[in-house]
Each structure stands twice: as C-alpha cells, then as structure tokens.
Amino acid sequence: LWAALANFKFTGSRFFVLGDVAGQLPPIADRHREELWATIDDSRFMHELCGGLRVELHKFRRGGDQAHFNLVGSIYPSTGTTLEEALAAVREAYPVRRPLEQCDTILCLSNKCRIALNERLNRFHATVDSICVKADNTTATGDDDSRDMKLWPGIVLQAAVTDRKHLRNALRYKVLEVTEESCSMVRINDEGVIVGEPFTMPTPEVPKKLRLTYAITYDSSQARTLYGRVRLVQTDHMHMTLRRLIVGLGRAPEGSQLEVE
C-alpha cells in the first residue's frame, strides 16, 4: 500500500503522515513481522516520503489527566520497560476495585474470552422485559459465530458487517425499540451521542450483524475513546504484549476509569 501511495510523489503530492507507531498494534498484514513494521517511522522511506520533516507531539488530546498520560508514556518500548515491569506499575496505579458486572467496557485478548464475557454480562444486565433473540449459526463459522442475545431499549451493540443500508462495521448502535419482529436503532458515537438517523431492521437479523459491546478485544479497540469504567483483563495471557497494554491504557481519557488485572 505504501509503495502504491509513493507513486503520487512523482505528481508533486505532499505527504503528511500522522501516527503513533510505538503505541499501536501492527496492521493485520504486518502482524507477524512487527520488527520490520515498528521501524517505519524512522525509515529512509518515510524520511524521503515526508520531505525530511519529523514533528513529535506530546499533548494528551484524549483527556486532561496528565498523570495518566505520563504513566502510559513511561512504559513505551523506547524506555526499555519490559511487559512485566509495566504490568507491575499499572496494576499498582489502577488496581481492581469493583466486580466485572460494574464495568462499562472490558478489554480482553482472545475472542473466546470476549464471547464468554459478553454472554455473561448480557444475561446479568437484561431487563425483565428483554427479548431473547436466537442466533442462526447454520452458515457461521469460527470465533465470529453469531450468538443468542437479549435485547431491550437502551442496549448498545456494535456492527460486525457493513451493509448497503445502515450498518457500518465497528460502529456502535443503540436500540430504541424492539419487538419479536423488528428492532429500531440509531448510530451513536463513543460518548453515546446520537449521530445518525433511526432505522429499523428485522430482529432475527440482529445477532448475525451486530455484537454485544460489554467486552471487546485490545486489537479492535484501537482509535476508540472509552468512557466509563474500563477493565483490562487477560494481562497474563501468553499473547499479551507491551503494545497491547499501551493500547488498552490509552483508550481512557482519565486514569480513574481504569482497572488492570
């Protein structure tokens, strides 16, 4: 992709590339060659592409908690901090203070854990008048199987597909009204503010096209700002990395929101 973009250099195009290479996870295509990908911001290729200009930004724009910003910055790979040292520091700063059921968002590593937590919390938070929608798994495979879910007005779901009508993958939607036959919902942003027009879809299609949002993976949380109480789990998992820890911590505007297992 970068090679294709670089062709525009010959047309006089100017490139302004912004990003936090050290504090984000690699693109899927580079997942197994992280050592190569992690040096792209200091590479000769990027130097020539951007005309030699490099500007480092140090302002915390996601929130106003400077102490939280400094703590996350202190565990970046460039500091030489190991994952074990980073976990010890953030567990001390953000200890577990409440049951999982009182958390608004749980960040986990595996899809298996995500599915189990979402099912557990969906049952816990379901209202007495919620509607149980059975999933049709006849064509689904793997970790992304649709799952049974209980729906009620106010529950927030995340689109797992992009369709031609209303849904956009990874965006969030709040249920406004739901019956056995139809479900009315509207798109919201990270702060829960309505940003779209209400629409209706058949209720049986909801489990196939949308997911529960109590738990999401570290990888899929990138670019999101998480409000409310956030718990980081599976931090002892064999595939947990310093980058995933930084991504998880960086989703919250305030350190007071965080708990790290």
Side-chain angles (χ1 to χ4, degrees), residues 40-235:
I40 190 171
D41 59 323
D42 289 320
S43 66
R44 180 177 177 181
F45 165 77
M46 193 62 71
H47 178 87
E48 294 180 355
L49 188 68
C50 298
L53 176 65
R54 177 186 176 95
V55 178
E56 293 196 9
L57 307 176
H58 298 279
K59 183 175 181 179
F60 185 30
R61 298 184 179 275
R62 180 164 271 119
D65 189 343
Q66 190 64 36
H68 171 53
F69 182 66
N70 293 340
L71 176 58
V72 177
S74 72
I75 63 173
Y76 263 59
S78 60
T79 66
T81 304
T82 66
L83 175 60
E84 291 72 21
E85 292 169 340
L87 283 172
V90 298
R91 284 169 178 163
E92 181 179 358
Y94 308 129
V96 173
R97 304 182 298 276
R98 56 180 65 87
L100 275 176
E101 287 77 10
Q102 294 181 13
C103 296
D104 297 291
T105 305
I106 302 169
L107 293 178
C108 54
L109 197 143
S110 69
N111 277 308
K112 182 178 180 181
C113 178
R114 173 184 62 81
I115 291 171
L117 287 173
N118 275 324
E119 290 180 341
R120 167 183 165 183
L121 295 178
N122 184 234
R123 291 193 300 268
F124 178 83
H125 290 290
T127 61
V128 292
D129 58 346
S130 62
I131 295 177
C132 183
V133 187
K134 295 293 183 180
D136 179 7
N137 288 318
T138 56
T139 59
T141 58
D143 290 330
D144 292 329
D145 285 2
S146 55
R147 301 282 167 164
D148 298 350
M149 60 174 66
K150 294 186 176 184
L151 301 177
W152 61 89
I155 187 173
V156 174
L157 306 172
Q158 179 173 304
V161 299
T162 294
D163 61 21
R164 295 183 178 181
K165 295 182 179 180
H166 308 289
L167 299 178
R168 296 293 181 271
N169 187 41
L171 297 185
R172 305 203 306 160
Y173 300 83
K174 176 187 284 187
V175 173
L176 301 177
E177 297 180 10
V178 60
T179 66
E180 297 284 354
E181 295 75 29
S182 64
C183 181
S184 173
M185 58 182 66
V186 65
R187 185 161 71 89
I188 61 174
N189 62 16
D190 286 343
E191 296 180 79
V193 177
I194 294 176
V195 292
E197 296 295 327
F199 62 92
T200 301
M201 63 184 298
T203 300
E205 292 185 8
V206 174
K208 181 179 179 180
K209 296 183 177 181
L210 295 105
R211 292 175 176 168
L212 298 166
T213 60
Y214 303 106
I216 59 178
T217 63
Y218 292 97
D219 295 43
S220 65
S221 73
Q222 288 199 117
R224 286 278 306 278
T225 297
L226 299 177
Y227 296 94
R229 298 173 290 268
V230 181
R231 173 80 65 84
L232 275 61
V233 303
Q234 289 194 295
T235 55

